[in-house]
């Protein structure tokens, strides 16, 4: 899987749909790169296209992306791909990985050390869908671009 360079992602901000992708190959630096891509993507959507994006949304999206990419890096034996796409007033975060085992939030347990990633994603996303695919699974999380209420 090839990475969509940030320059190409920025160029696509001039057309619909607004999206950016990142290939993930298990390199630990990809987690930081994925967070940076998410922040840059949302900032450019706001600053260059006038799409309302709350600062808190950027931070929430970076956390969700970090959790999803970390889970893929820890649990998927092969490559993965992160896709970010603006759909109406939402950011759709999709992560495909090669592990067919569905990711699920565990029951809350304040004494558990670690393994809170999907709990965090479920708490922060408006919707969270985990689907098996022929190659593994796809996790889709939708986040409102502006905070409501």
């Amino acid at each position: 899987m090839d990475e969509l360079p940030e320059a190409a992602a920025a160029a696509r901000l001039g057309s619909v749909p607004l999206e950016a992708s990142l290939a993930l190959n298990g390199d630990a630096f990809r987690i930081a790169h994925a967070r940076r891509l998410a922040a840059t993507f949302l900032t450019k959507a706001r600053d260059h296209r006038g799409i309302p994006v709350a600062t808190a949304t950027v931070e929430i999206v970076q956390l969700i992306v970090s959790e999803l990419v970390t889970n893929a890096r820890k649990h998927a034996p092969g490559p993965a791909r992160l896709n970010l796409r603006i759909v109406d007033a939402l950011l759709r975060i999709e992560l495909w990985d090669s592990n067919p085992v569905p990711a699920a939030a565990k029951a809350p347990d304040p004494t558990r050390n670690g393994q809170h990633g999907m709990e965090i994603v479920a708490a922060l996303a408006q919707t969270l869908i985990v689907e098996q695919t022929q190659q593994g699974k796809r996790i889709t999380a939708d986040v409102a671009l502006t905070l409501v209420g």
Side-chain angles (χ1 to χ4, degrees), residues 11-136:
R12 293 184 76 175
L13 287 174
S15 63
V16 175
L18 302 174
E19 62 184 340
S21 297
L22 177 65
L24 306 162
N25 61 6
D27 181 351
F29 294 109
R30 292 294 189 188
I31 299 167
H33 192 158
R35 284 192 304 262
R36 231 177 4 265
L37 176 67
T40 300
F41 175 72
L42 289 171
T43 300
K44 288 182 179 184
R46 179 185 61 217
D47 295 348
H48 297 289
R49 290 290 303 270
I51 296 171
V53 178
T55 300
T57 298
V58 176
E59 295 166 356
I60 288 167
V61 167
Q62 286 182 293
L63 179 54
I64 290 172
V65 163
S66 183
E67 293 298 334
L68 293 177
V69 172
T70 298
N71 284 347
R73 183 175 177 272
K74 282 184 171 181
H75 303 293
R81 177 172 288 283
L82 172 70
N83 190 60
L84 307 171
R85 182 168 26 124
I86 294 177
V87 180
D88 298 322
L90 297 173
L91 175 69
R92 176 152 297 151
I93 304 163
E94 294 174 307
L95 185 103
W96 288 268
D97 71 35
S98 56
N99 184 350
V101 177
K106 296 182 182 280
D109 179 357
T111 64
R112 185 175 67 239
N113 186 13
Q115 300 182 342
H116 295 281
M118 292 305 290
E119 287 176 60
I120 293 168
V121 173
L124 295 174
Q126 281 190 302
T127 59
L128 177 62
I129 301 168
V130 180
E131 303 169 290
Q132 287 186 308
T133 67
Q134 289 182 345
Q135 294 79 27

